[in-house]
Amino acid sequence: DISGILFMDRQPHFTGAVVIDGVRIDEKEGSITKELEGLSADATLKLTNMKYHGIPVDDASAKLTLEDGRLNLDKMVVHALSGVVEGKASIEDKGATDLDVNVVFTDTDLGEFLDAISPGEAKISGTMNLKGRLWGNADAINGDLIFRAKDGSIAKYYLISKMFTVLNVYKIVKNKKIDLLSEGFSYNRIKSSFAIREGVMKFDDFYFTSDSVQMSVVGEYSLKKLSL
């Protein structure tokens, strides 16, 4: 649903409101701004029932401006995965995205969250709280996040699996019957704060506790290289 005024000057310019339901945005489809080449705009935007790179979004709204191949989204509010993302973002004509957003997820299903952002990469259940800020671009993201999860189980999750391997937890704990990566290995609490700079996530207070083992970890994790 589009309402407004389109000025057919040397460069067409649109002002008004845009409401879209059921849109799908996939990186394979190319840059959004490329599709709008030659057009400028100043409008309000509302999206419902959306999927962004496979992530389901309930609704999103923003103040949209488009000029010289750059799409700016200000006063952006996104409701997705039982959480809220607020802030601003900009997309260049070559597809590069810059953002500065605050995120709040409360009592979110951890398994559904991880499966949405990295399908098939994790098999973990529990209830998650996540709060903080993300800024920068996709190639060099920055952030300060506080993460909490409780009352779940782990069958597969790369970061935690890597921690267990690096620390050689099997030699640390005395109970040789503990299988930390078995189907349905339960945990009571996972908590940490994360400082992300240029795509490298640092943590100095990662804490994992279950009925069988308690573990604290200090280190850093490269989001690009998937290395701990």
Side-chain angles (χ1 to χ4, degrees):
D1 184 16
I2 301 176
S3 61
I5 301 173
L6 178 62
F7 297 93
M8 298 301 294
D9 297 324
R10 179 176 298 178
Q11 181 184 46
H13 179 78
F14 173 78
T15 61
V18 179
V19 180
I20 305 175
D21 179 68
V23 68
R24 302 291 186 267
I25 298 175
D26 191 313
E27 61 183 353
K28 296 180 181 178
E29 297 175 356
S31 169
I32 298 174
T33 55
K34 191 69 175 177
E35 301 297 327
L36 301 173
E37 189 174 2
L39 174 69
S40 64
D42 187 352
T44 59
L45 174 67
K46 183 174 179 62
L47 304 171
T48 56
N49 189 30
M50 172 187 177
K51 272 202 172 182
Y52 181 77
H53 296 263
I55 300 174
V57 175
D58 298 324
D59 61 77
S61 62
K63 178 70 170 61
L64 178 154
T65 57
L66 175 64
E67 188 171 3
D68 297 327
R70 184 182 181 91
L71 176 66
N72 295 309
L73 300 172
D74 294 301
K75 298 181 179 179
M76 182 174 64
V77 180
V78 179
H79 294 95
L81 302 172
S82 302
V84 181
V85 178
E86 297 181 282
K88 61 183 180 179
S90 63
I91 305 172
E92 299 282 358
D93 57 0
K94 294 182 179 180
T97 301
D98 291 298
L99 57 83
D100 189 344
V101 296
N102 293 307
V103 299
V104 178
F105 293 87
T106 304
D107 294 332
T108 297
D109 186 295
L110 179 57
E112 291 182 2
F113 179 86
L114 291 176
D115 192 55
I117 63 175
S118 55
E121 296 298 319
K123 292 182 180 178
I124 181 170
S125 66
T127 302
M128 176 197 81
N129 291 339
L130 180 67
K131 183 178 181 180
R133 177 186 172 219
L134 295 170
W135 70 93
N137 59 66
D139 293 326
I141 194 68
N142 302 293
D144 291 306
L145 300 171
I146 298 174
F147 172 82
R148 300 286 186 271
K150 64 180 182 179
D151 302 332
S153 64
I154 302 170
K156 174 187 175 184
Y157 187 44
Y158 181 86
L159 178 57
I160 293 178
S161 300
K162 195 70 174 178
M163 287 178 179
F164 291 158
T165 301
V166 170
L167 295 173
N168 206 351
V169 173
Y170 288 104
K171 291 184 179 179
I172 295 176
V173 297
K174 294 182 179 180
N175 186 353
K176 301 299 182 180
K177 295 181 179 180
I178 298 175
D179 184 358
L180 294 174
L181 302 179
S182 65
E183 184 73 29
F185 172 76
S186 62
Y187 66 87
N188 299 325
R189 295 285 188 277
I190 302 174
K191 63 178 183 178
S192 184
S193 58
F194 300 104
I196 307 170
R197 298 295 183 270
E198 301 294 322
V200 176
M201 181 171 65
K202 297 182 179 181
F203 45 91
D204 57 12
D205 59 354
F206 184 97
Y207 184 69
F208 176 98
T209 178
S210 72
D211 292 338
S212 304
V213 65
Q214 291 77 46
M215 177 180 71
S216 59
V217 180
V218 175
E220 61 181 47
Y221 180 74
S222 172
L223 299 174
K224 292 182 180 179
K225 299 178 181 178
L226 300 179
S227 61
L228 184 68

